[in-house]
Amino acid sequence: MSVNNRLTSIFQEIFDEPTLVVQPETNPSDIADWDSVAQVKLVLAIEEAFGTRFTTEEVTGLHCVGDFIAALNSRKGTVA
Amino acid sequence: MITPAEVLRASVENAGPDLRGAVQAAVAIALEHGLEHEVLRVLESRPDQGARWLRAALTEAVEGPKAAAPHWERVVTQSGCEIPEALLHRARASLRDGDRHRAAALLRLALQATPDYDFFLRSETLIRKCKSAFGCHRKVRIALLGSSTTTLLRSVMELLCLRDRLEPDFYEAPFGTYMHELLQRDSGLNRFRPEFIVFLLNWRDLGLSDLCENGIAAAAVSRVTEAWQAAIDGTAAQIIQLTFTPPPQDAYHALSSVMNAGRVRTTRKINDTLFECAPTRVTLIDAEHIATCTAGPWEDPILWSSVKVYPASRVLPNVAEHFVSCIRAELGLSRKLLILDLDNTLWGGVVGEDGLGGIRLGPPSAAGERYQEFQQYIKALGQRGVLLAVASKNNSEDAAEVFRRHQASVLRLEDFVSFKANWLDKPTNIRQIASELRLGLDSFVFLDDNPAERSAVREELPEVIVPEISGEPSESIAALERGLYFQAIRLTSEDLTRGASYRAGAKQELLRQRGAGLDQYLTDLCMQIEHGPVEADTCVRVTQLINKTNQFNLTTKRYSQEEVNRRMISPDFWFRWYRLRDRFADHGLIGVLLAERTDREWTVETWLMSCRVIGRGVEAFMFRDMVECARRSGADRLRAHYIPTAKNNLVEDLLPRFGFVATGNDGEFALDLGAALLPDCSFLCGNVTEVEMQRGAL
């Protein structure tokens, strides 16, 4: 299962939208509830699910799903 | 290349206590290596707890919540314990099926199991959707003020409030404006009229340098106390504040605590001073104490620099639990009674089989020592006002013997207000305890190591809180500490004698059952009443009674400490307390009467009595006192309202009983003072003392 699919299931839980599907280009303008607070919650939930922490620099550069994927892929092999 | 067997071995089979973390890791590995279907096939034939859990989690990740629902169901029913993770998934499935109430009930159970922060993140939207099904009894207005972003804290507090049947309305001041909001008369904060202000500052607000000059601590303290004063003047709210923690990093290391000017030492001094000068409207919570019982770091520097969140997100559930427990305590919603199982809960082993000498309690057995510590903890709860009871499947004599004769038993029979050791089922015994003590099931906590008993009580008596414990005594303590069910923010002298008073109540039931006539029964009690005007020394207990008395309460009007204080000093109110003692116990301050007065007419706002002295005729004396005082002041009419609630039908006929006549307006009654008959209070044998007003001297 790809990182994209795993992110989809996290987004589904956070927004409680069972049919939501995210793509790398999905960004806050595509999801009504994706505001700055939801952004923090997504970061924390994704960190927990992938067993990792984003750096300060990464956190400020996460603007779309693709940014999350890139940050997670850069850890591949080290992620539990 | 990794194989399915390796996935299982690396995670589930070698899982320690953190099964959830292990399952999560296994799901991640299986998905990353594309092994999900193969792993699922292997899991089909595996019956152990970890495998069942992994199967549910992996099915959910691959096929979605609907397909996973039966697997989650199995995780819960077969293990017999309530796992937040599994409950969340079942709740999601229930809501999809349109059963909002079932979903809310499952989510409430999960929230009672003190889940970690991740649970709050993932359940928040779902819980909001079920909000109306949480059966809230009361709204509560909470303002969050602070020097950091309070939004994450707010979310966690909201879910905990809903769990406790409180519907919160929040106000968050714009970032960095708390002092302005406090001082400005017309600010959003003051217009919001909060009942509670959660005031969240951190060490950055203290302006401490590595070595603190003289005077810096005093300046920091006065900034905080000025903020308190502004909140006290501008709102009627109870203020709840976390104490300061020193910054986690300090170049002076140990010296920082040793040197007078050290930053750690200075922070402690500031906290100590704040504790000393906090007025009753301020409740301080010791942050360092919370940090010692919370796993993981207290602060998160990355989260601080990006979004200014303090403290770390992982400790928010514990911090929020403290805040909400103080809100419950102030509203009179803390739990009152702890019901304990015996075998393998209060001691190791089964007394009916192992005998008095065979159970593990006290040294030299290591487990025995832990059980003794647990008993010591329970004893202390009892001494500060938590009522204790026993519900155990045992022969009554076997069970009682331990408390009478076992050298190491810290608890004694007289520590319990009710002792049920028999072979009835636990829900029946718990209902019996409730009716004997005239307490609501929603004030009970039930502790039992047996998962079957826990689940029977949860199923039949959902109002009772049933924490998850394994029987390991230190874990039982931890469960009670995490839940903070018995939080108190003030200690009154009634708290210290409550146990004796309830035990006496049970003895009176016996006296009554022996069939003596009511008058004889009352006379035999040798009651003494003391009464007087509500003043500074009684107003805290009076507020406590106003906010938690449900049964003998004519209007069930709730007042904050502030509202009580205002009525106490206003000449427009007649505000009295009543204290009762009898030959069994001193019941303390048990009655309150409050009337608003004009020249000709008095209107009863509050008439209440503690449930433990119901049936003693004290209300007759209270009525008599009010009529006499009203007549003396020249009034000729009394007005009163009966406001029915789910719990106060006991006082439905109180007003007519004393000659009040319905006026035709909804629930309103009136009494012509000229014609009123005074009830007979001869059963008191004249044992009445009136305490004069002291205010002049204060």
Side-chain angles (χ1 to χ4, degrees), chain B residues 50 52 59 65 90 95 143 160 278 287 324 413 446 464 526 549 695:
Chain B
R52 277 199 303 268
T59 306
R90 288 169 68 203
L95 185 65
L160 294 182
V324 172
L413 274 183
F446 172 61
V464 177
C526 307
T549 306
R695 197 169 295 138

Side-chain angles (χ1 to χ4, degrees), chain B residues 572-589:
Chain B
D572 299 333
F573 291 91
W574 179 82
F575 202 174
R576 309 280 289 185
W577 54 261
Y578 301 83
R579 199 185 290 269
L580 178 70
R581 194 175 305 152
D582 62 30
R583 69 188 171 96
F584 295 112
D586 180 357
H587 299 281
L589 201 161

Side-chain angles (χ1 to χ4, degrees), chain A residues 1 6 12-18 37 40-41 44-45 48-49 53-56 59-60 76-77 79-80, chain B residues 24 28 31 36 61 92 96 117-118 121-122 124-126 129 151-152 155 300 302 305-307 313-314:
Chain A
M1 196 188 218
R6 292 177 65 193
Q12 286 175 352
E13 277 206 296
I14 296 280
F15 297 111
D16 194 48
E17 286 289 346
V37 177
V40 179
K41 292 175 181 169
L44 292 168
E48 180 76 18
R53 294 289 327 252
F54 297 115
T55 63
T56 309
V59 167
T60 47
K76 239 187 175 150
V79 173
Chain B
Q24 211 169 338
L31 295 177
E36 55 268 24
R92 231 181 265 285
R96 300 278 170 267
Y117 181 63
D118 193 50
L121 285 175
R122 292 158 54 221
E124 185 181 341
T125 313
L126 179 67
K129 287 185 182 171
T151 316
L152 298 188
S155 297
D300 180 339
I302 299 178
S305 59
S306 55
V307 280
S313 56
R314 276 165 180 272

